[in-house]
Amino acid sequence: MQVPFYIHSLDSSSAASVEAVLSTAFLTSGSVGRGVEAQLCEFFGTDHALLTNSWTNGAIATLLALDIGPGDEVIVPAMTFVATSNVVELVGARPVFVDVDPDTLLLRPEDVAAHVTPRTRAVIPVHLYGQMVDMAALRAAVGDDIALIEDAAHCFEGRLRGDTPGRHSDAAIFSFYATKNVTCGEGGAIVTRRGDLHERLMQTRLHGMSAGAIDRMRKGSYRHWDMACLGTKANLPDLLAALLPDQISGIRDRLALRNAVGERYRNALSNLGFRMQAAIPGCENAWHLLPIHVPPSVRDDVIGILNSEEIGVTVNYQSVPSMTYYREKYGFTDSDFPVSQEWGGGTLSLPLYPGLGEAEQDFVLDVLRDRVAPLLGDFRERAVG
Ligand SMILES: *Cc1c(COP(=O)(O)O)cnc(C)c1O
């Protein structure tokens, strides 16, 4: 049975929204995007939201807006996607990697506090797989002078004790990349409660210009603009923004479906001896990914077995400091971030999407029980911690 890793939830009903944009004179960032930004403000209960063409460019615009660059340090988790630390490198600052909690795989506020130095300007906590870092505790641990920038690429619809991303941070950044829970193919968004940061972001998102195209052309009369700070090119065109209103309004319904699939995996797999991310009390999981962990010595065999049964899998993620670029630049070894190294060496992610049927899921579980669980053997007792 073929079980793809992911099937997106866009369909031809979105074609009409794209066509509506095509029928106007304006293809880039305009009134459609402004409407989506208002929708995001409402969803997250913030005063400001900015659409971007990716999480990555949104994060670069945010670091530029906060004047973070050479000489500055930004704390990031070792267990994440490479983009989280790459953006710090790209603005010339230094990423300071911190290992994660062995059960939740998230940054712990006390570990972050232990890595703060006089050069620390920001922390980028990652709500890995869909469960949120305790942002209130993180804020209390680092104080008000260090910026908190949430990597909420996995957590559009997740909550912790009722708090959404953006509640306790300077900014929360989302990804609308093809496989994310809300998608327009490529895209992203920044939400912030800070009016001053929003004003800066309006510039750093678009070359540093003091007025975007929609305002330069307002009512057919040209207006001059200035450039007072350095910006990048991170705005989202209306052609893609047109796909987002339905994605956002349907997110709670899709979350219910993801939740059912996720809980079903969790119940079945906990009996089979696979290690999984611990469920965090008070956390509404966005269920972006469903990773399991097997002994690193058999991980690639397990991927081979699942692929031979036509089951799609990915790895999220190898420990970032173990990547050649970071190892060579900073001289990291495998023992520097033991939890991330061990999890990254043994993890693989199973198919998880709203339309995943029970028959398909049962097939994945059957293969795991019949062909994979026996490989765990003696390792089962030696759960890492
Ligand atoms: C997908 C992802 C990103 C990057 O998102 P883009 O929109 O592709 O730039 C960053 N962080 C995490 C954790 C991600 O999963």
Side-chain angles (χ1 to χ4, degrees), residues 53-57 80-84 126 128 151-154 174-177 179-180 186-188 288-289 317:
N53 51 17
S54 66
W55 181 96
T56 301
N57 284 334
T80 181
F81 181 54
V82 291
T84 313
V126 179
L128 197 70
D151 180 339
H154 294 184
F174 304 90
S175 171
F176 303 145
Y177 174 70
T179 60
K180 298 298 187 341
E186 296 280 0
H288 174 54
L289 290 166
Y317 301 92

Side-chain angles (χ1 to χ4, degrees), residues 23-104:
S23 71
T24 69
F26 207 83
L27 304 180
T28 183
S29 305
S31 59
V32 175
R34 293 254 165 108
V36 175
E37 289 172 346
Q39 197 181 2
L40 290 169
C41 286
E42 166 125 24
F43 188 90
F44 292 103
T46 57
D47 288 338
H48 311 286
L50 300 99
L51 286 175
T52 60
N53 51 17
S54 66
W55 181 96
T56 301
N57 284 334
I60 291 170
T62 303
L63 292 167
L64 291 175
L66 292 166
D67 263 323
I68 293 174
D72 296 331
E73 294 177 356
V74 177
I75 294 175
V76 296
M79 176 44 57
T80 181
F81 181 54
V82 291
T84 313
S85 54
N86 285 356
V87 294
V88 180
E89 289 281 328
L90 284 165
V91 299
R94 182 187 175 116
V96 173
F97 291 98
V98 171
D99 211 356
V100 293
D101 180 278
D103 297 319
T104 66

Side-chain angles (χ1 to χ4, degrees), residues 6 35-36 50 110 130 150 166 241 284-285 363-364:
Y6 182 74
V36 175
L50 300 99
E110 62 270 30
E150 293 171 79
E284 251 187 90
N285 196 338
F363 177 68
V364 175

